[in-house]
């Protein structure tokens, strides 16, 4: 029996519609009614008039997600503008992002015809359509990156650049609300046909459109793009697609629209948009695809029937984001159960130590459990970003630090590696071992499928919005870096929090808490899972019970100038992988604080190839790392040195197979130099590896 057949219509409907939507529902009619009924204040308006938008909080104060009214969110987002990341680790990165990456990406999108694709439709260009079917999303993701950058402050040039392209994009929208630059002309007949739904990315593009439109709206209050997105959803999708005999079924093909629809719902309060997200997540049994396609596309079959992560990794991560968003609004227990099953699968068998996901290049997909190859790792930047986005939603649902730990792992490593230090080159794949002699160029300015570069840009631009959350009890601090929060508690009392630190190089953070008036609340301090000890004090008085991997709740009456001091243990650690991860047998990875380290050939002694080295973990040298801060190297890093062994070439070992010998292999002592993984491939292309073999045979 195919997966599809195993779901009854009732299961499908019940998972698509929240109990809140329908108090007494008639099978087969309720979802139809929920999606089709005109809503007062929205559909009763003429199609092109403006939909009323939520005013809680006002647009300027909405976070990355507007969870202000989400009934199942424990934590609420803090707007991007409320956090200023100052001189330090992320400021450097974000500076490059906004001054180099975002402007250069605009030029590249122009040079590669992505903007002309829109202009052609409005008679402003005669250039032929360029790029794959998902090319529109490149422009929209860039718009989102610009939108987040503008949430952090005025940038007239950037704003003008967005406004310019926005005019052309909106002008290219069809009168019925449809918008796509590929399914026009000769391709118009295929528009939203089953095959196009499966492979054509029409909904994926428009999902990114909505995200870009929302970020830009939250930066500027300009709703031009947002209104166009609402037209697409309200005038084109809702009247024509969805459950019910008079509507065509939808298959999202590449999940993305789901999470965008929920965020749109958070702006419009139009429940049909949330229901449509639920409908997409549930799948429509009228669309039949091959069983393999339900795996690959990670949609089309009820999300709540999923038992493990599989198929295309970005699709799966975005589906999990959408499903968590849907849960945050509906509290549907079946979703929560599935999300937990999938999350467990993620952290126990599918995630790289860098936070990257999606091991296989074939299908850009999750592999079998524990299939985490190093050199062949795919680890697409977009998938690591999807991982972080999903965990942000899980964190909002629970307030549990385990989700922030995954976010931090992905952010500092598998995401951060995706953009070169000068902000001009990008990794699509983020492997954990690499040999350039095989001809692969890992960092490139442009990819014809250029999903990752603007995705990285929007992530770095949105970063301030991930530092804090609020809850009814107080405020949560998730990420450490020099920064200032200027926001308020949920009871309205103003709150400033200043962090002073040299994190992630140093484990000490000084946090000054300044409420507008003395007030009792809980300050939830994230104690990262990677530290084995954490000393915390408030105004010099030690606070016991800081537990790694949990938030430390500090409840007290806070007054202006209270100081929390935190000290995490930054001693480098050696990590082993589960024995099922066969490639890592006998190997260790090095992590210091949140940063995973790697060996790059260029840093090793002359004539010592990486494939012939081992870390000397004999009794005297075990985990004895020397740390050196190098301001002049890779933007300023702490590099680590450790005793190692370099094996010579023996005649036997040059053969494919040779007789076993119990004699220890001959080696000489060398010093191995590790750099943070995110900084790899920023110099001459040389081999790299994260997991290094261990030698115990040698006395240290
Ligand atoms: O299909 C659109 C994007 O292109 C996916 O998210 C990436 O994996 C790449 O295939
Ligand atoms: Zn990508």
């Amino acid at each position: 029996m195919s997966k599809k057949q195993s779901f009854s219509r009732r299961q499908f409907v019940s998972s698509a519609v929240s109990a809140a939507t329908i108090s007494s529902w008639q099978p087969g009619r309720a979802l139809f009614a929920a999606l089709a009924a005109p809503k007062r204040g929205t559909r009763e308006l003429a199609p092109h008039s403006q939909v009323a938008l939520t005013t809680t909080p006002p647009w300027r104060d909405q976070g990355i997600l507007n969870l202000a009214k989400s009934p199942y969110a424990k934590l609420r987002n803090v707007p991007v503008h409320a956090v200023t990341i100052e001189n330090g680790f992320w400021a450097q990165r974000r500076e490059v992002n906004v001054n180099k990456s975002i402007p250069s990406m605009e030029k590249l999108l122009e040079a590669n015809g992505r903007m002309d694709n829109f202009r052609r439709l409005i008679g402003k260009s005669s250039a032929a359509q360029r790029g794959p079917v998902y090319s529109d999303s490149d422009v929209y993701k860039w718009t989102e990156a610009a939108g987040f950058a503008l949430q952090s402050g005025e940038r007239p040039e950037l704003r003008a650049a967005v406004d310019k392209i926005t005019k052309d994009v909106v002008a290219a929208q069809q009168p019925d609300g449809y918008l796509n630059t590929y399914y026009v002309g000769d391709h118009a007949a295929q528009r939203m046909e089953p095959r196009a739904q499966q492979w054509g990315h029409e909904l994926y593009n428009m999902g990114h459109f909505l995200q870009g439109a929302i970020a830009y709206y939250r930066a500027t209050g300009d709703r031009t793009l947002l209104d166009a997105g609402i037209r697409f959803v309200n005038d084109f999708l809702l009247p024509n697609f969805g459950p019910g005999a008079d509507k065509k079924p939808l298959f999202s093909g590449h999940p993305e629209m789901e999470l965008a629809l929920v965020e749109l719902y958070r702006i419009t309060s139009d429940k049909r948009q949330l229901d449509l997200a639920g409908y997409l997540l549930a799948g429509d049994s009228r669309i039949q695809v091959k069983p393999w396609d339900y795996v690959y596309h990670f949609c089309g079959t009820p999300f709540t029937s999923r038992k493990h992560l599989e198929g295309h990794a970005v699709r799966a991560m975005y589906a999990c984001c959408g499903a968590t968003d849907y849960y945050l609004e509906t509290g549907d227990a079946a979703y929560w159960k599935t999300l937990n099953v999938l999350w467990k699968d993620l952290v126990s068998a599918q995630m790289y130590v860098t936070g990257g996901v999606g091991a296989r290049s074939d299908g850009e997909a999750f592999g079998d459990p524990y299939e985490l190859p190093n050199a062949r790792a795919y680890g697409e930047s977009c998938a690591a970003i999807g991982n972080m986005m999903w965990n942000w939603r899980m964190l909002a649902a629970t307030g549990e630090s385990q989700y922030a730990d995954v976010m931090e792992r992905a952010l500092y490593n598998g995401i951060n590696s995706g953009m070169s230090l000068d902000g001009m080159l990008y990794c699509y794949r983020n492997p954990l071992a690499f040999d350039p002699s095989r001809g692969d160029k890992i960092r490139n300015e442009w990819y014809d499928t250029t999903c990752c570069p603007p995705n990285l840009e929007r992530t770095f631009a949105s970063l301030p919005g991930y530092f804090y959350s609020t809850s009814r009890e107080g405020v949560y601090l998730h990420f450490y870096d020099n920064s200032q929060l200027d926001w308020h508690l949920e009871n309205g009392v103003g709150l400033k929090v200043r962090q002073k630190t040299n994190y992630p190089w140093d484990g000490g953070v000084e946090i000054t808490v300044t409420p507008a008036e003395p007030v009792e609340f809980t300050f939830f301090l994230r104690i990262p899972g990677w530290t084995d000890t954490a000393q915390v004090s408030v105004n010099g008085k030690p606070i016991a019970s800081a537990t790694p991997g949990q938030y430390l709740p500090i409840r007290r009456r806070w007054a202006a100038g209270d100081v929390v001091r935190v000290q995490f243990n930054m001693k480098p650690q050696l990590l082993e992988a589960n024995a099922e991860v066969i490639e890592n047998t006998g190997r260790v990875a090095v992590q210091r604080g949140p940063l995973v380290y790697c060996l790059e050939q260029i840093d090793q002694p002359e004539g010592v190839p990486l494939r012939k080295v081992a870390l000397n973990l004999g009794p005297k040298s075990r985990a004895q790392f020397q740390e050196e801060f190098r301001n002049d190297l890779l933007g300023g890093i702490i590099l680590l040195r450790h005793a190692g062994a370099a094996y010579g070439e023996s005649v036997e070992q040059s053969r494919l197979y040779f007789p076993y010998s119990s004699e220890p292999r001959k080696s000489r002592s060398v010093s191995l130099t590790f750099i943070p993984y995110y900084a790899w491939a920023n110099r001459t292309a040389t081999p790299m590896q994260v997991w290094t073999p261990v030698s115990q045979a040698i006395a240290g």
Side-chain angles (χ1 to χ4, degrees):
M1 184 161 56
S2 76
K3 272 192 179 183
K4 187 93 296 197
Q5 289 160 333
S6 67
F7 292 99
S8 68
R9 169 85 187 150
R10 189 189 153 79
Q11 276 171 315
F12 152 63
V13 172
S14 66
S15 58
V17 187
S18 72
T21 315
I22 310 154
S23 45
S24 64
W25 70 289
Q26 296 166 299
R29 293 187 58 192
L31 184 58
F32 171 82
L35 286 165
K39 270 194 76 175
R40 283 210 178 85
T42 54
R43 296 287 298 147
E44 280 178 4
L45 296 168
H48 287 245
S49 63
Q50 288 193 332
V51 165
L53 302 182
T54 186
T55 50
T56 315
W59 55 266
R60 191 190 299 280
D61 292 340
Q62 296 174 13
I64 293 169
L65 305 176
N66 182 20
L67 303 179
K69 288 189 174 163
S70 304
Y72 296 89
K74 185 167 176 191
L75 309 189
R76 318 246 172 250
N77 280 207
V78 156
V80 169
H81 73 74
V83 179
T84 309
I85 301 180
E86 296 169 327
N87 197 23
F89 189 82
W90 287 116
Q92 195 177 342
R93 205 75 172 120
R94 280 168 42 75
E95 190 78 5
V96 165
N97 186 43
V98 77
N99 290 327
K100 293 213 179 153
S101 314
I102 294 177
S104 66
M105 183 52 53
E106 185 205 347
K107 292 198 178 72
L108 285 165
L109 290 168
E110 277 290 0
N112 289 279
R114 301 309 192 253
M115 311 296 204
D116 275 343
N117 285 347
F118 291 94
R119 294 191 191 113
R120 180 173 50 98
L121 302 188
I122 55 170
K124 281 194 185 173
S125 163
S126 53
Q129 193 278 342
R130 277 175 76 185
V133 285
Y134 34 80
S135 296
D136 294 356
S137 70
D138 305 338
V139 176
Y140 303 151
K141 260 190 254 180
W142 176 83
T143 306
E144 192 183 354
F148 279 124
L150 291 170
Q151 287 180 30
S152 281
E154 274 301 322
R155 288 180 177 270
E157 256 183 56
L158 183 58
R159 185 160 177 183
V162 180
D163 288 346
K164 187 165 150 238
I165 184 64
T166 292
K167 277 205 191 82
D168 294 341
V169 169
V170 172
Q173 187 171 27
Q174 309 273 309
D176 65 356
Y178 182 81
L179 178 55
N180 186 290
T181 66
Y182 182 87
Y183 288 102
V184 290
D186 290 350
H187 297 131
Q190 299 160 33
R191 187 179 293 176
M192 296 299 282
E193 284 300 304
R195 183 136 185 97
Q197 286 201 29
Q198 194 178 345
W199 295 107
H201 290 68
E202 289 157 291
L203 292 188
Y204 169 86
N205 285 328
M206 289 310 289
H208 279 300
F209 180 103
L210 286 168
Q211 286 192 294
I214 290 169
Y216 194 64
Y217 167 67
R218 288 176 179 163
T220 61
D222 180 337
R223 47 184 291 179
T224 311
L225 274 177
L226 184 57
D227 283 334
I230 293 173
R231 279 200 294 280
F232 176 80
V233 175
N234 287 7
D235 298 351
F236 178 75
L237 278 186
L238 285 168
N240 300 311
F241 298 91
D246 62 336
K247 292 198 183 156
K248 291 185 183 162
L250 276 182
F251 181 85
S252 79
H254 189 316
E256 159 63 23
M257 180 50 92
E258 297 83 343
L259 63 119
L261 278 171
V262 180
E263 201 55 37
L264 183 64
Y265 160 72
R266 291 178 183 138
I267 286 196
T268 63
S269 306
D270 186 339
K271 186 98 180 0
R272 295 173 307 159
Q273 293 157 357
L274 175 65
D275 291 334
L276 191 64
Y279 160 79
L280 284 171
L281 286 161
D284 188 328
S285 55
R286 288 175 297 168
I287 290 202
Q288 295 285 338
V289 296
K290 294 195 195 89
W292 176 85
D293 291 321
Y294 297 114
V295 172
Y296 173 79
H297 293 281
F298 217 87
C299 63
T301 192
F303 182 87
T304 51
S305 69
R306 300 274 171 186
K307 299 280 181 272
H308 55 267
L309 294 169
E310 57 188 346
H312 185 268
V314 184
R315 283 173 165 86
M317 289 297 99
Y318 287 3
C320 290
C321 289
T324 315
D325 277 324
Y326 186 71
Y327 166 77
L328 288 166
E329 302 307 321
T330 64
D332 188 321
Y335 275 83
W336 190 239
K337 192 168 162 215
T338 303
L339 286 162
N340 281 286
V341 167
L342 299 182
W343 192 83
K344 190 145 191 292
D345 188 34
L346 171 82
V347 295
S348 56
Q350 290 289 2
M351 187 174 73
Y352 281 101
V353 70
T354 54
V357 291
R360 290 185 188 165
S361 58
D362 185 13
E364 306 183 305
F366 282 102
D368 292 333
Y370 306 104
E371 182 186 329
L372 294 167
N374 294 318
R376 287 176 194 276
Y378 202 63
E380 185 182 337
S381 296
C382 287
I385 291 168
N387 185 17
M388 175 168 155
M389 287 165 57
W390 176 28
N391 276 278
W392 180 236
R393 288 155 171 81
M394 297 295 278
L395 177 60
T398 59
E400 287 175 18
S401 182
Q402 56 183 349
Y403 304 112
D405 278 352
V406 173
M407 290 176 70
E408 189 181 54
R409 183 172 289 287
L411 176 63
Y412 277 86
N413 303 292
I415 294 174
N416 203 13
S417 57
M419 186 191 278
S420 64
L421 297 173
D422 68 3
M424 303 299 273
L425 303 174
Y426 305 88
C427 290
Y428 190 110
R429 289 174 62 221
N430 293 275
L432 282 81
F434 189 73
D435 185 348
S437 68
R438 304 213 167 127
D440 193 358
K441 189 159 172 271
I442 199 71
R443 291 195 189 274
N444 297 281
E445 181 186 59
W446 176 258
Y447 296 85
D448 203 39
T449 292
T450 207
C451 50
C452 299
N455 213 349
L456 290 155
E457 290 166 10
R458 71 168 174 159
T459 305
F460 292 138
S462 64
L463 221 49
Y466 289 109
F467 269 51
Y468 293 89
S469 297
T470 60
S471 77
R472 256 175 286 169
E473 294 161 275
V475 66
Y476 281 70
L477 190 166
H478 308 302
F479 292 114
Y480 295 99
D481 201 348
N482 288 321
S483 55
Q484 287 209 58
L485 167 75
D486 187 355
W487 190 230
H488 54 74
L489 296 164
E490 290 191 6
N491 63 11
V493 175
L495 177 68
K496 292 189 178 166
V497 178
R498 180 180 196 119
Q499 291 190 44
K500 275 170 81 182
T501 180
N502 195 20
Y503 192 93
W505 309 119
D506 189 275
V509 191
E510 182 190 280
I511 303 156
T512 308
V513 181
T514 306
E517 60 196 61
V519 58
E520 184 177 332
F521 68 91
T522 307
F523 197 99
F524 292 88
L525 201 64
R526 179 173 153 257
I527 310 297
W530 48 256
T531 188
D532 54 0
T533 59
Q535 276 95 45
V536 182
S537 66
V538 178
N539 298 335
K541 220 172 119 200
I543 305 273
S545 73
T547 310
Q550 289 184 18
Y551 285 92
L552 174 66
I554 313 175
R555 183 145 194 108
R556 67 196 299 276
R557 190 171 172 80
W558 294 91
D562 283 339
V563 175
V564 181
R565 282 202 173 76
V566 194
Q567 183 67 52
F568 303 124
N569 185 358
M570 302 303 265
K571 193 169 178 297
Q573 300 169 15
L574 297 172
L575 301 179
E576 274 191 80
N578 186 295
E580 299 285 340
V581 186
I582 292 160
E583 273 205 28
N584 293 342
T585 304
R587 291 173 181 254
V588 290
V590 178
Q591 182 170 338
R592 182 184 182 280
L595 297 175
V596 172
Y597 274 67
C598 68
L599 290 173
E600 254 194 327
Q601 185 65 65
I602 191 171
D603 298 310
Q604 312 316 321
E606 191 70 32
V608 177
L610 278 198
R611 65 197 152 74
K612 299 238 176 255
V613 300
L615 204 55
N616 182 346
L617 297 185
K620 283 196 207 143
S621 59
R622 182 169 307 146
Q624 297 293 319
F625 286 92
Q626 277 101 54
E627 304 187 354
E628 186 187 344
F629 183 69
R630 286 282 301 273
N631 212 5
D632 59 328
L633 190 66
L634 297 166
I637 56 164
I638 284 189
L639 52 78
L640 303 175
R641 293 208 175 81
H642 196 281
Y647 297 104
E649 199 81 62
S650 75
V651 180
E652 287 80 15
Q653 283 155 15
S654 62
R655 289 150 57 189
L656 185 55
Y657 306 107
F658 49 89
Y660 170 76
S661 161
S662 58
E663 289 294 308
R665 281 172 69 192
K666 285 206 184 89
S667 66
R668 66 185 171 95
S669 296
V670 289
S671 171
L672 299 177
T673 301
F674 293 79
I675 61 158
Y677 170 76
Y678 74 80
W680 84 278
N682 273 281
R683 297 168 288 176
T684 316
T686 63
M688 177 278 291
Q689 69 186 33
V690 169
W691 291 92
T692 302
V694 167
S695 153
Q696 279 155 337
I698 311 152

